[in-house]
Amino acid sequence: MATARKTTATKTVARNAPAKSTGSSSTGPDAIALLRADHKRVAALYEQYENTRSASKKKTIVATICQELSIHAQVEEEIFYPAVKAALKDKEMVPEAQVEHASLKELIAQVKDKEPDGEMFDAKIKVMSEYTNHHVKEEQTEMFPKAQKTKLDMKALGAKIAARKEELMANPDLMEKSPVPASPAMAATT
C-alpha cells in the first residue's frame, strides 16, 4: 500500500514539475487553489453588498472588493498568466482574460473611494459582479483545467503568488494605478 502511494505521488510530482527546475519544494497551496479562494472571497463580498442597505457598510465592502480584485488581477497578470501563456503557447485565453481585467479595472476606478450614493453606484457594483462571475467561470472551467494538465509547478507558482499578494497588501504603493475610465458612459454617475 505504501509503495502504491509513493508511486502515485512520484507520478503526480513528475507531471506537475516545471520543465526547468525551480529549486522550490513549496508546501503551501498551489496557484489554482489560491486563485479559487480569491474567487470565493470576492463572491461572498458581492453577496454581502447585495444584502446591505447601509451606505457606510456598502462603502467598506466595496473598498474590500476593490482591494481583493486589484491584488488578484495583478498577481495573475504578473505571475500566473505569463506562466500559463508560455506553457500552453496560448494566444487567445490569456489575452481575453487580460481584456476582462481591464474592464474590471475601469469599474474599480469608478467606485473606489466613492460614496455609494444611489442607483448608478449600485448598478456599477452589479456590473462588476457580473463581469467578475463571467471571468471566474472562464478561468475555472477553461484556463485552470488546461493549466493543470501542463508541466507547470503549481506549488512554486502558488508560493510566488502568495508572496506577491503579501507584498502588495503590506505596501499598497506597489499596486498598479487604476486606469481612467475609457468612456463617458462608463464614468456616468447619478
Side-chain angles (χ1 to χ4, degrees), residues 47-63:
E47 189 174 331
Q48 283 179 22
Y49 183 89
E50 286 293 319
N51 295 324
T52 300
R53 294 205 187 280
S54 163
S56 64
K57 286 181 183 176
K58 282 184 173 187
K59 185 174 182 176
T60 300
I61 293 166
V62 169

Side-chain angles (χ1 to χ4, degrees), residues 65-140:
I65 290 170
C66 291
Q67 180 184 29
E68 290 284 339
L69 288 176
S70 296
I71 290 172
H72 178 86
Q74 190 163 336
V75 298
E76 279 187 330
E77 291 169 6
E78 290 176 358
I79 301 165
F80 190 72
Y81 288 172
V84 169
K85 185 173 182 169
L88 294 174
K89 297 177 178 40
D90 175 68
K91 294 181 191 251
E92 183 179 325
M93 204 170 21
V94 171
E96 182 181 324
Q98 291 172 313
V99 170
E100 290 169 354
H101 278 188
S103 295
L104 281 166
K105 288 175 186 178
E106 285 185 14
L107 284 167
I108 288 168
Q110 294 173 45
V111 298
K112 186 177 180 184
D113 300 325
K114 304 288 191 292
E115 293 299 321
D117 57 359
E119 295 173 346
M120 285 305 292
F121 189 90
D122 287 342
K124 289 174 186 180
I125 300 305
K126 181 69 173 174
V127 170
M128 274 178 61
S129 174
E130 290 169 354
Y131 279 11
T132 303
N133 289 337
H134 168 80
H135 178 75
V136 165
K137 181 179 176 186
E138 286 188 347
E139 280 188 347
Q140 293 189 166

Side-chain angles (χ1 to χ4, degrees), residues 8 31 138 164:
T8 302
E138 286 188 347
R164 184 63 171 150

Side-chain angles (χ1 to χ4, degrees), residues 14-25:
R15 188 182 79 230
N16 292 334
K20 294 180 182 176
S21 176
T22 60
S24 171
S25 58

